[in-house]
Amino acid sequence: MAGQLTIAKALNDALRKSLENDPKTVLMGEDIGKLGGVFRITDGLQKDFGDSRVIDTPLAESGIMGTAIGLALRGYRPVVEIQFDGFVYPAFDQIVTQLAKMHARALGHVKLPITVRIPYGGGIGAVEHHSESHEAYFAHTAGLRVVTPSGAHDAHWMLRQAIASDDPVIFLEPKRRYWDKGEVGDAADLGLHDARIVRPGTDATLIAYGPMVKVCLEAAAAAEEDGRRLEVVDMRSLSPVDFATLEESVKRTGRAVVVHEAPVFLGMGAELAARLTERCFYHLEAPVLRVGGYYAPYPPSRVEEAFLPDLDRVLDAVDRALAY
Amino acid sequence: MTVKSTARARKKAAPGVPDTLRAKGTDAQPELVQLLTPEGERVEHPDYPLTTTPEELRALYRDLVLVRRFDGEATALQRQGELGLWASLLGQEAAQVGSGRAMRTGDYAFPTYREHGVAWCRDVDPLNLLGMFRGVNHGGWDPNEKNFHLYTIVIGSQTLHATGYAMGISKDGADDAVIAYFGDGASSQGDVNEAFTFASVYNAPVVFFCQNNQWAISEPTTNQTKIPLYRRASGFGFPGVRVDGNDVLACLAVTRWALDYARSGNGPVLIEAFTYRMGAHTTSDDPTRYRLAEETEAWKAKDPIARLKAHLEKEGLADEEFFASIDAESEQLGLRVREGVRSMPDPDPTLIFDHVYAEPHALVDEERAEYVEYAASFEAGENL
Ligand SMILES: Cc1ncc(C[n+]2csc(CCOP(=O)(O)OP(=O)(O)O)c2C)c(N)n1
């Protein structure tokens, strides 16, 4: 498997390995069988593992989520595919009222090792409900783990770690990066909830996850031409957050800009800004700034570039941070 | 021509619904499976034969009486401030005991929040059921110990869990079946309808047991459906049966049949137990605002315990000594529940942080430590 893989192929391979390693692992979702899913992430898996391991479901998201819970109670390890971000809402009730809480309600007697894979985010020119970033809803709910890879290596290993976890994991896949290639190593080099410094720097810290990591790396490369050395941290995990890594970086650079696609208001950035301010107050040279989507429904695709943070908006924020 | 007369003309011209398609309404003379009349006469049903020994009949009677007693005790404890809320099963004992006793050991029950009688049949300690209503936990027992899942407050959610569990049974090639309890109100929920779809297309061994107690808080069944509920099943491609929910023998026979049908690979069955909630929806409800006393009185005549008692007496299957012994046992149960609830300790507040996750979670650990330190500061007198 090692070598250059797209994120899509890395995910496919992670699912394959998980199906091979544990006969209790089952995949469930719409069109994941013969079609291999609308993004082909499950390509070939039903052919090789059969339709009782790779299950094409009725078109009912609450049904998929609720029956996955039942299967988990019976000792299975379901990996659920939600076709697109905007279609997880019918399953939201099952996720927040049932999936997130059952372990606690049973005082630990039952486990729900369920992974919910959701392709999320914009930038692919899609129609309505195919471009949303709803990570804050899930991260806000105790009982769920929320993670999102930004490259092929993490896509592969984080998915395997998520499936192996005894907790429910919301696994957000940056769909506009599905076709980006990267080297996939033969072991997980980080824990599922560790952040990664993907580019070291000294002048300010850019904090991002999923699809925005690439934008931040581009911004850091552009800034270097102006003699600014920006550090880029890939959060990887949104619940829990690896605050130790973030804090360490921000204390060193004295400045932080959080970048995500979701609306800024009450998004992940709000939480990070508050906590980093609390913990790094005497090290900060500027307030923690946020770059993200506007407080508006995700726009039609012809104007989505105006909604999504891009290199220039990130650099503008860096300028503001450095001007303090 | 005035607008009014046009409307009238249209109304007249509108085609009528063919008689065969006309909904019979939900409270039309119900087509009930019955094996024991309200007067206590044994009757036969060609599709659901049942042979019972006198011991079995007496055991069912005991279940009914003790379950009612437990429920009454809990209602009283709520009134005395020992429980925050109680959802009484009064009137629904036969539906629960009949279906509960139809289960085999390996079968699994997914209840809503009123299935105290089913829990009894699964041998779940009645005190377990009270923790949630007292506010010391949100569930608290190990569902796998007696194959009785946690109570579910969100209406209809558990029907999907039951279906998924049943799908797992099929995958395991096991010989077990699942029973999912829900109410007539819940039948309107998307989850219940999604459960019907999944169960049907995957042939899942699950019996959907709807206790139609005529009311969803203040809403009558006619607010949920225009056809009798058991007929919903046919649209999903599986059998539906309506049973006299106040007849413990009919509930037993029909559920036993349905579980066997499901476990044999035929797929799901819907049972509508036609019954009545004699009390309030919960202890915070006031049924006098929405239903007539006459209605409740009429259902009293169909009381599930009275009819089995009448049968036992008529047939000479139980004597005074038996009834006295059940009454004595009932007193003991009441005492045990009363004392058990009163001595139920409040949990340590750190319960908040227990079992949020199966594996360690940094934020939970951090907030627990924060809380523990804060609480300790009071003991040390720092915050005085
Ligand atoms: C999704 C949801 N909506 C509303 C409620 C509030 N509620 C609790 S019980 C109930 C009525 C349920 O009626 P039914 O399903 O007939 O069951 P019954 O209580 O009569 O046994 C309602 C509306 C709830 N628990 N869950």
Side-chain angles (χ1 to χ4, degrees):
Chain A
M1 169 208 66
Q4 290 277 321
L5 293 182
T6 61
I7 287 186
K9 185 73 186 87
L11 292 167
N12 176 275
D13 200 70
L15 292 171
R16 176 177 293 279
K17 295 276 174 354
S18 300
L19 286 163
E20 276 167 8
N21 291 349
D22 181 359
K24 291 292 188 185
T25 298
V26 293
L27 312 190
M28 305 170 70
E30 297 164 9
D31 303 300
I32 67 168
K34 284 207 173 96
L35 183 66
V38 291
F39 289 107
R40 312 290 184 267
I41 306 300
T42 55
D43 193 25
L45 297 178
Q46 192 183 64
K47 185 164 110 332
D48 295 343
F49 293 93
D51 60 8
S52 81
R53 304 278 314 276
V54 180
I55 308 166
D56 267 329
T57 61
L59 272 64
E61 281 72 15
S62 191
I64 297 170
M65 202 57 248
T67 53
I69 290 171
L71 278 161
L73 293 171
R74 180 74 190 181
Y76 286 83
R77 199 171 274 274
V79 184
V80 167
E81 175 172 303
I82 298 293
Q83 203 154 58
F84 277 94
D85 35 54
F87 309 138
V88 75
Y89 302 114
F92 194 68
D93 164 46
Q94 283 286 343
I95 293 173
V96 301
T97 70
Q98 309 297 317
L99 181 64
K101 295 182 178 156
M102 213 174 272
H103 176 71
R105 294 189 57 222
L107 300 183
H109 290 299
V110 301
K111 292 192 177 113
L112 293 170
I114 297 176
T115 303
V116 187
R117 296 181 35 241
I118 314 177
Y120 82 119
I124 63 162
V127 295
E128 204 187 4
H129 308 306
H130 291 70
S131 305
E132 293 169 28
S133 299
H134 37 38
E135 60 270 22
Y137 295 127
F138 298 114
H140 190 65
T141 300
L144 304 174
R145 295 174 181 275
V146 186
V147 301
T148 175
S150 66
H153 178 83
D154 278 347
H156 180 91
W157 287 105
M158 287 169 73
L159 183 53
R160 292 185 64 178
Q161 288 167 317
I163 294 170
S165 169
D166 277 340
D167 283 315
V169 181
I170 306 295
F171 191 89
L172 299 168
E173 301 177 359
K175 69 166 92 75
R176 70 153 120 170
R177 307 286 179 228
Y178 269 148
W179 304 280
D180 287 6
K181 276 193 171 176
E183 183 74 22
V184 177
D186 55 14
D189 53 344
L190 288 178
L192 181 59
H193 298 294
D194 294 331
R196 186 199 297 279
I197 297 178
V198 285
R199 180 188 172 108
T202 50
D203 297 344
T205 301
L206 297 179
I207 300 171
Y209 51 85
M212 281 293 118
V213 172
K214 190 173 177 182
V215 171
C216 287
L217 284 171
E218 285 164 2
E224 190 162 32
E225 290 171 19
D226 300 331
R228 285 172 175 171
R229 281 162 302 170
L230 303 182
E231 178 145 308
V232 180
V233 183
D234 178 357
M235 288 178 66
R236 298 172 81 249
S237 175
L238 309 182
S239 175
V241 171
D242 177 4
F243 276 108
T245 299
L246 299 187
E247 254 180 83
E248 187 274 321
S249 171
V250 173
K251 281 182 179 165
R252 219 165 3 82
T253 64
R255 290 177 169 84
V257 177
V258 187
V259 184
H260 52 58
E261 289 191 14
V264 168
F265 184 69
L266 286 175
M268 283 300 299
E271 179 63 34
L272 297 181
R275 293 224 180 216
L276 290 171
T277 303
E278 251 177 55
R279 294 168 190 213
C280 311
F281 189 68
Y282 293 108
H283 297 79
L284 284 171
E285 307 285 344
V288 178
L289 299 180
R290 292 167 290 160
V291 180
Y294 299 107
Y295 196 53
Y298 193 88
S301 60
R302 293 299 175 113
V303 292
E304 70 180 334
E305 291 309 327
F307 179 89
L308 293 167
D310 60 5
L311 186 146
D312 289 324
R313 273 173 60 197
V314 174
L315 290 176
D316 274 357
V318 170
D319 285 346
R320 277 190 288 134
L322 285 164
Y324 275 90
Chain B
M1 202 189 263
T2 67
V3 173
K4 199 173 170 189
S5 65
T6 313
R8 203 174 289 145
R10 280 220 194 94
K11 198 173 176 191
K12 222 176 175 181
V17 178
D19 267 353
T20 48
L21 294 183
R22 203 185 289 278
K24 282 190 184 165
T26 51
D27 46 10
Q29 194 56 31
E31 306 108 296
L32 298 174
V33 176
Q34 197 175 68
L35 297 183
L36 190 64
T37 69
E39 295 73 35
E41 298 292 346
R42 205 50 180 84
V43 286
E44 292 303 322
H45 191 287
D47 297 333
Y48 308 100
L50 182 75
T51 48
T52 42
T53 64
E55 289 78 44
E56 283 168 333
L57 291 176
R58 286 194 294 266
L60 288 170
Y61 177 82
R62 172 179 174 270
D63 287 337
L64 294 173
V65 171
L66 295 186
V67 160
R68 179 170 290 183
R69 178 53 193 260
F70 164 71
D71 184 74
E73 198 65 46
T75 303
L77 284 163
Q78 196 282 334
R79 298 284 180 238
Q80 294 158 17
E82 299 288 347
L83 300 176
L85 182 81
W86 184 244
S88 164
L89 65 28
L90 188 65
Q92 299 177 224
E93 296 88 350
Q96 296 194 14
V97 167
S99 60
R101 286 295 174 208
M103 297 173 74
R104 303 195 322 206
T105 318
D107 294 343
Y108 212 113
F110 284 80
T112 158
Y113 42 75
R114 205 189 288 285
E115 272 68 66
H116 325 310
V118 182
W120 171 265
C121 296
R122 295 308 288 171
D123 207 18
V124 172
D125 185 341
L127 285 167
N128 280 351
L129 308 176
L130 300 170
M132 181 172 197
F133 294 98
R134 187 171 171 84
V136 302
N137 59 45
H138 284 313
W141 63 88
D142 177 359
N144 294 324
E145 199 184 318
K146 299 287 164 58
N147 283 9
F148 185 77
H149 191 66
L150 303 174
Y151 275 179
T152 306
I153 302 282
V154 181
I155 301 295
S157 287
Q158 75 285 358
T159 58
L160 281 168
H161 311 157
T163 302
Y165 193 93
M167 287 161 62
I169 290 177
S170 303
K171 285 185 188 302
D172 295 344
D175 188 25
D176 302 320
V178 177
I179 182 160
Y181 289 89
F182 61 103
D184 48 305
S187 72
S188 298
Q189 288 280 351
D191 276 6
V192 172
N193 289 272
E194 293 187 25
F196 286 178
T197 298
F198 275 70
S200 173
V201 302
Y202 295 118
N203 256 14
V206 54
V207 172
F208 295 107
F209 195 93
C210 175
Q211 290 173 80
N212 177 359
N213 64 9
Q214 314 302 323
W215 294 93
I217 311 188
S218 70
E219 298 195 6
T221 311
T222 46
N223 260 20
Q224 318 294 339
T225 180
K226 291 191 83 169
I227 63 163
L229 286 172
Y230 73 95
R231 286 206 224 142
R232 289 256 177 105
S234 74
F236 290 88
F238 54 89
V241 190
R242 183 183 260 182
V243 59
D244 182 340
N246 286 20
D247 172 353
V248 70
L249 300 186
C251 289
L252 174 66
V254 169
T255 312
R256 194 177 274 166
W257 167 81
L259 287 165
D260 285 339
Y261 176 92
R263 80 173 91 250
S264 314
N266 299 303
V269 176
L270 169 63
I271 298 173
E272 177 190 358
F274 203 78
T275 181
Y276 193 76
R277 187 191 84 209
M278 292 303 291
H281 169 72
T282 65
T283 41
S284 9
D285 173 43
D286 174 11
T288 63
R289 281 171 166 259
Y290 55 83
R291 70 183 190 190
L292 297 171
E294 295 89 85
E295 180 186 291
T296 316
E297 280 306 307
W299 276 92
K300 224 178 223 170
K302 303 176 190 174
D303 183 74
I305 299 185
R307 74 166 81 175
L308 185 56
K309 186 170 193 196
H311 179 68
L312 290 172
E313 285 173 340
K314 236 180 252 180
E315 302 295 321
L317 301 173
D319 53 17
E320 276 314 308
E321 198 184 328
F322 168 77
F323 291 117
S325 76
I326 298 298
D327 288 345
E329 203 182 344
S330 164
E331 280 311 308
Q332 280 164 17
L333 176 68
L335 187 67
R336 181 164 104 74
V337 168
R338 219 160 35 242
E339 288 180 348
V341 166
R342 292 199 175 124
S343 57
M344 212 177 259
D346 282 354
D348 186 291
T350 53
L351 169 90
I352 295 168
F353 308 98
D354 289 345
H355 312 299
V356 182
Y357 293 90
E359 298 166 7
H361 186 285
L363 183 58
V364 176
D365 294 346
E366 183 188 313
E367 293 192 352
R368 175 203 289 271
E370 223 171 82
Y371 172 80
V372 168
E373 197 186 329
Y374 177 68
S377 73
F378 284 94
E379 273 151 44
E382 285 171 30
N383 282 20
L384 290 181

